[in-house]
Every structure is written in structure tokens, then in C-alpha cells.
Amino acid sequence: MYVHTFSYWWLNIYFDSGSSLNKAIYQSLTYHLLCEDGGFWGDSEDHWRLCFLFIQSDPERHCNTDWILRADPNLTTDDQLNLTLPREEDGTFSRCQMFIPVDWDISAIREYGLNETTRCQNGWVYYNTLYDATIVTDFDLVCDQANLLEIARAALMAGILVGCLLFGPFAESFGRKRAAQIPVIVTLIFTVTTGLCPNFYLYCASQFMVGIGYGGYRLNCVILATEWIGVSKRSCGACVTQLCGAVGNLILAGIIYFIRDWRLAQFITAAPTAVIAIYIWFIPESARWLLGRGKTEEAKHLITKAAAINKRTVSDSLLEKIVVKETEKKEGIIILIQSSVLRKYFFTILLAWFSLNVTYYCLSFNVGNFGLDIFLTQAMFGVTELPAHILCIWLLEALGRRVSLMSTLLIGGFLCILILAFPQSNAIAVTALAISGRFFINWAGSICNVYVQELFPTSFRQTASGLGSIASRAGGLLSPLLNMLAIYHWSIPIIVFSSLTLVSGALGFLLPETRRKELPDSTDEAEGNINKTTMKILSASSMSPQSKSTKL
């Protein structure tokens, strides 16, 4: 099920210090609340993320043995179970085995008993369940089918990855706005469809499509917001987006506490997506993208409109300076191939994003295994995210991007590996370390969202963000599979994801500081070979019809 609530509005237009070419800038924030139930985690990320949290993966159960009622309809429940189910070594009834049905009368069954066993043939009877209905109980994902639950999680993650692949290039050709609108419609349709799925395979297919919608939406709404936000407010915009995800975690826990049927909750939590699907058609396109496509007049119109809404004015002389920059073509991935500096930045931030998502989701998918009440643990996860994102706004400006990223990854990885120092039976210690580690990992995710936008030039920014999102989604995709290694030893997943986080945190030293710097528009600016002021002087002295500058 899903709770996806996204709110996008314009706050104000403000004027930064510096050249007049940089003074007219929109400020809009993406207010984003996405979560889902039926699974786990959405980060401030997300709606889809929480789709496997509340599933009670190993409910109390026994095989359905109503076949014996044909021999004696008046059997008590205790008699029925005693005659048809084998017992385990501890004396409890088997949860995955039953005696093979026979055509004897009830007296023969009582006298001779049944000895040959088989797997459950007619489904299961569930009891003492935490929820009224889950995908586990509806689709019988237990016993030899239990691993299919990980397949469902992987299907969702795979969809998100495909969504990033599809809608990243789409945004370059058709705009950030359109690339955010279409995924919302896809998400709405298949969120509802998921709640109607009659079998597990259609459920996985529907989850895959939800993932595609979410992946495309998440990627492009962040880009769209970032390209409107000025230097002094950029970190605030990204962190507010993440903050709303934390609020979503808290709301989700409350919804599932009162609504224990996953299908009903699916429909209820789809309602906010319908609201988004209506008003998202009225959001503005990115002026940077419009300028890059040569649509100067439309970009000027949007800037004037934003200024009017926010009771500000933009002079005609300033608008005339907003022109199309043609000196640097949209070479995309070619820029990365040609620049050793940008390659270093790219693979470093890619590893960080991949590592933190592997860790985040490995911890998230295990929320029900920490030993404490699942609702309490989920609520604590949400509560700890709130200060993480609020502090992130301050930390990014006070310490800068590089120090913030390194410290959060290193501390988060260290806290996660400390889990190995405590026995699994110590639920309080394990849960405390998991929550604390996730706190810093989530913090690092907010920093990556800001950092990846500021490291690369406009012509490569969408590509870099798209590939970064793909790497992060690949981490989420692998996390359920990594958790499966716990069948060999419970410590294996912890060692792997903690080590990845520590290594990526140390490599953060290779990245430059981008605090209070404008988004680079050229490869030279991104590499640090030339600053904005010098660029403007050169542009002013050598401006030609084929070499123009684009600034908001």
C-alpha cells in the first residue's frame, strides 16, 4: 500500500549578491511525503520504500485440513488438528506439513492413525496474526514460498531502477515538468491496481510498474526543484524534501496501526496521489531547461510570473540578459568520458549513494526482526529522521558538503558494525544501534541529493543525477538479496553493508567543497578551473551570436 503525498509550491523569488546575471532566481521547494505500506522503506525517499514493512512474514499457521470433515463434520478443532497434523520436536503442530488425505471413515483414521506426510495441499489457516490481511496471508508466502517475499521487494526496486533509466533521458528531451507528471499518473494507476491483484505474480508486475513511476518522479521532481532554487537556499530545499519523508514514516505507522488490511490501506493511501495527479499539471517548467532548449521567451515569462506572485519585480534590462548559452553543447556522458576530474567525482558520489542505500534498506527491511514492537520501531525510525533532516540544513551550511558527507557515512557505518558486538537476543541494544546508524545514513542521503546537483555542469546534471539514482536504486535492489545471506550467518549482511559505507565515507575526501557556490554551467566551472566571475568577464569581452551566456 502506499501513502504518497507530494506538495510543490513556490515560496518566493529572492536576489543573491553578485552580478546582475545571477539576481533573478526562482525559489521553489519540493515538499515530498511518500511512503508505502506493504513493504519497507521509503526514505524520505519514499513511497515505495515502505511497501514491505507491515507484512508479518512468518505468521502463526497450520495446514488447511478440512478434508477430514467429510469423514466427520462434527469433529472439534482439537481433534481435527490431532488427527491430520504431525508434531514438531517441541510438541507443537507442524506449520508446513500435514498427513496425506485418505478416503477412510473416521473410525479407521482414529484406530490406525495417519503416518505419511506431505506439504500443505489446500493452503493454510492463519491465527494470532498482527494484521487482518497481508500479502503473505493472501498469497501464502510461507514455508517453501517464503523467499518469494524477497522477489516482491526486488521487483519494486527493479522498477525504480528502470524508472530512472527511462525518465532520465526523457527529461532531457521533453522537460523536467513532463518527466515528473507522467510518472505520477503511472504511480496512481498501479497503486490502485496493486490493491486489486488476485495473485502474487500480478502483484509483482504491478509493484514493478509502481516502481517505474516512483523512480521517474523522484528523480525529476528533485531536479526541477533544484534548478529553481538559489545558492543560499539549495540545501534547505533538498532537506525539506527529505524531512517530509520522515513525517510520512510517522503517518504510515499510525495508518497501519488502525487499518490492518493491506488492500484497504492501499486504496486509502492512494488518495493523496490522486490529488498530486491533478495539481502537478500546473507546476512550472525549469527555466534552465527552457533556456538550454532555446525557449528564451517562455523562460522570461515564467520568471516574470513568479516574481509577480511573490510581489517582486524583475527589470526589463535584467530579463534581456537571460539568453541562451550555446558554447557548451549537451554532450551528456561524453563530458564524463573526457574529464578525468569529473570521472573521479562521479564514481565517488556513485559509490557513496550505492553504499548508503544498501545500508538503509538492509536495516529497513529488517525492522520486524529487531525484537521490539514493529509499530514502536517504525515510529522511532520516523522520529529520528526528523532531527536528521533538520540538522542537515544547518550542517551543510556550517561544515560544508564534503565534511558532512564523510562524517555521516563514517559514523553511520561504525554504528552499524557495532551491532556485531551484541547478541541478537539483546533487542534494545540492536534496535538502538540500528536506529542510530540509520539516522546518520539517512542524513548522508540528504547530503548526496544536494551534492550531486552541485558537482556537475548543467549539460550533464540530469545524466549524473539519473545515473546516481540508478546506483542508489541498485543498492536498494540488492539489499533484500544481501539480507538473504543471513541464512548462512546473521552477521554477513551487517559486515558487507557496514564495510561499504565506511569505504565510501573515506573516499569522500576526493570530492571538492561546493558550499555557497552556484550551479556550474560548464565543464571548466565544474572542474574548478574557472570561477563564475572570471567566466562572466570572459563572456562579456568575447560575446558573439554563437557564444552566449545563460544565467538566471
Side-chain angles (χ1 to χ4, degrees), residues 61 68 119 144 174 180 195 197 239 265 277 300-302 327 345 353 357 359 384 433 503 534:
R61 64 190 182 276
I68 199 173
R119 295 183 301 174
D144 56 347
F174 299 99
C197 288
C239 292
K300 290 180 179 180
H301 172 72
L302 286 177
T327 53
Y345 298 165
W353 221 341
N357 269 270
T359 304
T384 56
L433 287 172
V503 170
T534 306

Side-chain angles (χ1 to χ4, degrees), residues 348-427:
T348 301
I349 199 71
L350 228 63
L351 177 61
W353 221 341
F354 173 83
S355 301
L356 70 88
N357 269 270
V358 169
T359 304
Y360 184 92
Y361 288 105
C362 280
L363 292 173
S364 298
F365 284 133
N366 275 314
V367 66
N369 300 326
F370 293 145
L372 297 182
D373 178 78
I374 190 170
F375 297 108
L376 176 61
T377 304
Q378 167 67 359
M380 287 192 294
F381 273 154
V383 168
T384 56
E385 282 189 15
L386 294 175
H389 299 308
I390 294 172
L391 287 173
C392 187
I393 299 173
W394 168 81
L395 188 69
L396 284 171
E397 296 303 323
L399 300 181
R401 279 52 163 164
R402 181 171 62 180
V403 173
S404 299
L405 182 65
M406 290 179 63
S407 59
T408 50
L409 286 173
L410 291 173
I411 295 173
F414 177 72
L415 289 172
C416 289
I417 209 165
L418 272 183
I419 295 175
L420 300 176
F422 295 88
Q424 287 183 291
S425 58
N426 193 337

Side-chain angles (χ1 to χ4, degrees), residues 116-324:
E116 295 185 28
T117 60
T118 184
R119 295 183 301 174
C120 297
Q121 296 181 352
N122 300 304
W124 284 260
V125 175
Y126 299 96
Y127 56 94
N128 294 333
T129 55
L130 187 60
Y131 308 101
D132 295 335
T134 69
I135 62 170
V136 171
T137 57
D138 276 13
F139 303 139
D140 291 331
L141 304 183
V142 293
C143 299
D144 56 347
Q145 301 291 307
N147 284 338
L148 290 180
L149 185 58
E150 300 300 333
I151 301 301
R153 289 170 172 163
L156 181 63
M157 296 295 184
I160 295 171
L161 190 151
V162 172
C164 294
L165 281 171
L166 290 177
F167 287 101
F170 183 91
E172 292 289 5
S173 300
F174 299 99
R176 285 33 166 167
K177 176 181 177 179
R178 194 70 66 210
Q181 291 169 333
I182 294 175
V184 168
I185 302 301
V186 172
T187 301
L188 173 61
I189 292 172
F190 287 96
T191 294
V192 175
T193 302
T194 298
L196 300 172
C197 288
N199 60 59
F200 175 73
Y201 302 101
L202 286 177
Y203 174 86
C204 285
S206 186
Q207 284 288 88
F208 179 78
M209 293 303 299
V210 168
I212 289 178
Y214 173 73
Y217 163 73
R218 173 63 170 159
L219 169 64
N220 290 295
C221 77
V222 171
I223 296 290
L224 179 57
T226 301
E227 291 187 347
W228 278 119
I229 298 174
V231 176
S232 64
K233 303 295 182 181
R234 192 177 300 130
S235 58
C236 179
C239 292
V240 166
T241 298
Q242 303 289 84
L243 182 63
C244 293
V247 175
N249 279 341
L250 295 174
I251 295 175
L252 178 69
I255 289 176
I256 306 306
Y257 183 81
F258 292 103
I259 303 173
R260 304 296 180 96
D261 185 309
W262 75 275
R263 293 183 188 272
L264 176 59
Q266 188 84 27
F267 301 139
I268 291 175
T269 55
T273 312
V275 177
I276 301 168
I278 295 173
Y279 80 72
I280 198 170
W281 297 92
F282 301 98
I283 65 175
E285 180 57 88
S286 165
R288 286 180 181 272
W289 180 82
L290 290 172
L291 291 172
R293 305 295 293 185
K295 300 179 180 181
T296 308
E297 292 305 316
E298 187 175 348
K300 290 180 179 180
H301 172 72
L302 286 177
I303 293 173
T304 304
K305 183 178 179 181
I309 291 174
N310 294 289
K311 297 179 175 58
R312 300 295 183 99
T313 58
V314 181
S315 65
D316 292 339
S317 61
L318 179 58
L319 287 175
E320 290 302 319
K321 294 180 181 179
I322 302 176
V323 292
V324 182

Side-chain angles (χ1 to χ4, degrees), residues 463-515:
T463 303
S465 299
L467 294 174
S469 292
I470 290 170
S472 69
R473 302 315 172 191
L477 179 62
L478 291 176
S479 58
L481 307 180
L482 177 58
N483 276 342
M484 291 175 67
L485 296 179
I487 62 175
Y488 302 106
H489 195 280
W490 67 274
S491 65
I492 294 177
I494 298 174
I495 293 173
V496 173
F497 67 68
S498 298
S499 300
L500 281 172
T501 305
L502 291 170
V503 170
S504 60
L507 290 177
F509 184 77
L510 300 175
L511 297 174
E513 181 53 63
T514 59
R515 175 180 51 170

